[in-house]
Short mmCIF file of all heavy atoms in Angstrom, two decimals:
data_model
loop_
_atom_site.label_atom_id
_atom_site.label_comp_id
_atom_site.label_asym_id
_atom_site.label_seq_id
_atom_site.Cartn_x
_atom_site.Cartn_y
_atom_site.Cartn_z
N ASP Z 155 26.09 5.59 -8.84
CA ASP Z 155 26.23 4.26 -8.11
C ASP Z 155 24.88 4.17 -7.23
O ASP Z 155 24.31 3.09 -7.19
CB ASP Z 155 27.36 4.21 -7.16
CG ASP Z 155 28.69 4.17 -8.02
OD1 ASP Z 155 28.61 3.79 -9.16
OD2 ASP Z 155 29.73 4.47 -7.37
N SER Z 156 24.39 5.29 -6.68
CA SER Z 156 23.21 5.17 -5.83
C SER Z 156 21.95 4.79 -6.66
O SER Z 156 21.10 4.08 -6.22
CB SER Z 156 23.04 6.63 -5.21
OG SER Z 156 21.75 6.64 -4.46
N SER Z 157 21.89 5.54 -7.96
CA SER Z 157 20.76 5.21 -8.78
C SER Z 157 20.79 3.61 -9.07
O SER Z 157 19.64 2.98 -9.15
CB SER Z 157 20.81 6.05 -10.00
OG SER Z 157 19.81 5.65 -11.01
N GLU Z 158 21.88 3.05 -9.51
CA GLU Z 158 21.95 1.65 -9.80
C GLU Z 158 21.63 0.81 -8.52
O GLU Z 158 20.87 -0.22 -8.66
CB GLU Z 158 23.33 1.34 -10.24
CG GLU Z 158 23.36 -0.21 -10.74
CD GLU Z 158 24.77 -0.42 -11.28
OE1 GLU Z 158 25.58 0.51 -11.61
OE2 GLU Z 158 25.06 -1.61 -11.68
N ALA Z 159 21.94 1.27 -7.47
CA ALA Z 159 21.63 0.46 -6.19
C ALA Z 159 20.15 0.51 -5.97
O ALA Z 159 19.54 -0.46 -5.55
CB ALA Z 159 22.36 1.04 -4.96
N VAL Z 160 19.52 1.63 -6.18
CA VAL Z 160 18.08 1.77 -6.03
C VAL Z 160 17.33 0.79 -6.94
O VAL Z 160 16.36 0.18 -6.58
CB VAL Z 160 17.61 3.19 -6.14
CG1 VAL Z 160 16.03 3.28 -6.19
CG2 VAL Z 160 18.06 4.02 -5.08
N GLN Z 161 17.79 0.84 -8.29
CA GLN Z 161 17.14 -0.19 -9.27
C GLN Z 161 17.42 -1.54 -8.84
O GLN Z 161 16.38 -2.32 -9.04
CB GLN Z 161 17.85 0.18 -10.65
CG GLN Z 161 17.52 1.52 -11.20
CD GLN Z 161 18.22 1.70 -12.61
OE1 GLN Z 161 18.32 0.74 -13.31
NE2 GLN Z 161 18.62 3.01 -12.79
N ASN Z 162 18.56 -1.87 -8.49
CA ASN Z 162 18.75 -3.27 -7.99
C ASN Z 162 17.86 -3.71 -6.74
O ASN Z 162 17.39 -4.77 -6.72
CB ASN Z 162 20.22 -3.47 -7.62
CG ASN Z 162 21.23 -3.33 -8.79
OD1 ASN Z 162 20.76 -3.57 -9.92
ND2 ASN Z 162 22.43 -3.09 -8.58
N GLU Z 163 17.80 -2.73 -5.84
CA GLU Z 163 16.87 -3.04 -4.61
C GLU Z 163 15.42 -3.19 -5.10
O GLU Z 163 14.72 -3.98 -4.64
CB GLU Z 163 17.03 -1.87 -3.64
CG GLU Z 163 16.08 -1.99 -2.45
CD GLU Z 163 16.34 -3.25 -1.63
OE1 GLU Z 163 17.43 -3.72 -1.69
OE2 GLU Z 163 15.36 -3.73 -0.86
N GLN Z 164 15.04 -2.43 -6.13
CA GLN Z 164 13.64 -2.53 -6.60
C GLN Z 164 13.41 -3.91 -7.23
O GLN Z 164 12.36 -4.48 -7.05
CB GLN Z 164 13.27 -1.33 -7.50
CG GLN Z 164 11.85 -1.36 -8.03
CD GLN Z 164 10.75 -1.41 -6.93
OE1 GLN Z 164 9.68 -1.87 -7.04
NE2 GLN Z 164 11.05 -0.73 -5.84
N ALA Z 165 14.32 -4.27 -8.10
CA ALA Z 165 14.34 -5.59 -8.75
C ALA Z 165 14.25 -6.73 -7.71
O ALA Z 165 13.55 -7.68 -7.88
CB ALA Z 165 15.54 -5.73 -9.69
N LYS Z 166 15.04 -6.52 -6.66
CA LYS Z 166 14.99 -7.60 -5.62
C LYS Z 166 13.61 -7.65 -4.86
O LYS Z 166 13.10 -8.71 -4.58
CB LYS Z 166 16.18 -7.22 -4.53
CG LYS Z 166 16.19 -8.18 -3.33
CD LYS Z 166 17.31 -7.78 -2.34
CE LYS Z 166 17.28 -8.64 -1.18
NZ LYS Z 166 18.22 -8.17 -0.13
N ARG Z 167 13.04 -6.51 -4.52
CA ARG Z 167 11.77 -6.43 -3.89
C ARG Z 167 10.65 -7.09 -4.83
O ARG Z 167 9.86 -7.87 -4.30
CB ARG Z 167 11.27 -4.98 -3.60
CG ARG Z 167 12.18 -4.22 -2.59
CD ARG Z 167 11.84 -2.79 -2.37
NE ARG Z 167 12.71 -2.11 -1.54
CZ ARG Z 167 12.75 -0.81 -1.39
NH1 ARG Z 167 11.74 -0.08 -2.09
NH2 ARG Z 167 13.44 -0.29 -0.64
N MET Z 168 10.64 -6.80 -6.09
CA MET Z 168 9.78 -7.42 -6.93
C MET Z 168 9.85 -8.94 -7.07
O MET Z 168 8.99 -9.66 -7.25
CB MET Z 168 9.77 -6.76 -8.44
CG MET Z 168 9.30 -5.25 -8.32
SD MET Z 168 7.78 -5.03 -7.78
CE MET Z 168 6.76 -6.15 -8.70
N SER Z 169 11.23 -9.33 -7.08
CA SER Z 169 11.50 -10.76 -7.20
C SER Z 169 10.94 -11.45 -5.96
O SER Z 169 10.29 -12.61 -6.08
CB SER Z 169 12.99 -11.05 -7.33
OG SER Z 169 13.31 -12.33 -7.29
N VAL Z 170 11.11 -10.95 -4.74
CA VAL Z 170 10.66 -11.46 -3.50
C VAL Z 170 9.10 -11.55 -3.57
O VAL Z 170 8.48 -12.71 -3.24
CB VAL Z 170 10.99 -10.65 -2.25
CG1 VAL Z 170 10.38 -11.03 -1.08
CG2 VAL Z 170 12.56 -10.73 -2.08
N LEU Z 171 8.45 -10.57 -4.05
CA LEU Z 171 6.94 -10.59 -4.05
C LEU Z 171 6.47 -11.53 -5.11
O LEU Z 171 5.52 -12.32 -4.76
CB LEU Z 171 6.45 -9.17 -4.40
CG LEU Z 171 4.94 -9.01 -4.60
CD1 LEU Z 171 4.16 -9.42 -3.42
CD2 LEU Z 171 4.54 -7.62 -4.98
#
Side-chain angles (χ1 to χ4, degrees):
D155 293 344
S156 175
S157 176
E158 184 174 352
V160 174
Q161 293 180 35
N162 292 338
E163 176 62 25
Q164 182 59 212
K166 178 182 175 182
R167 292 174 189 173
M168 291 306 304
S169 176
V170 170
L171 176 58

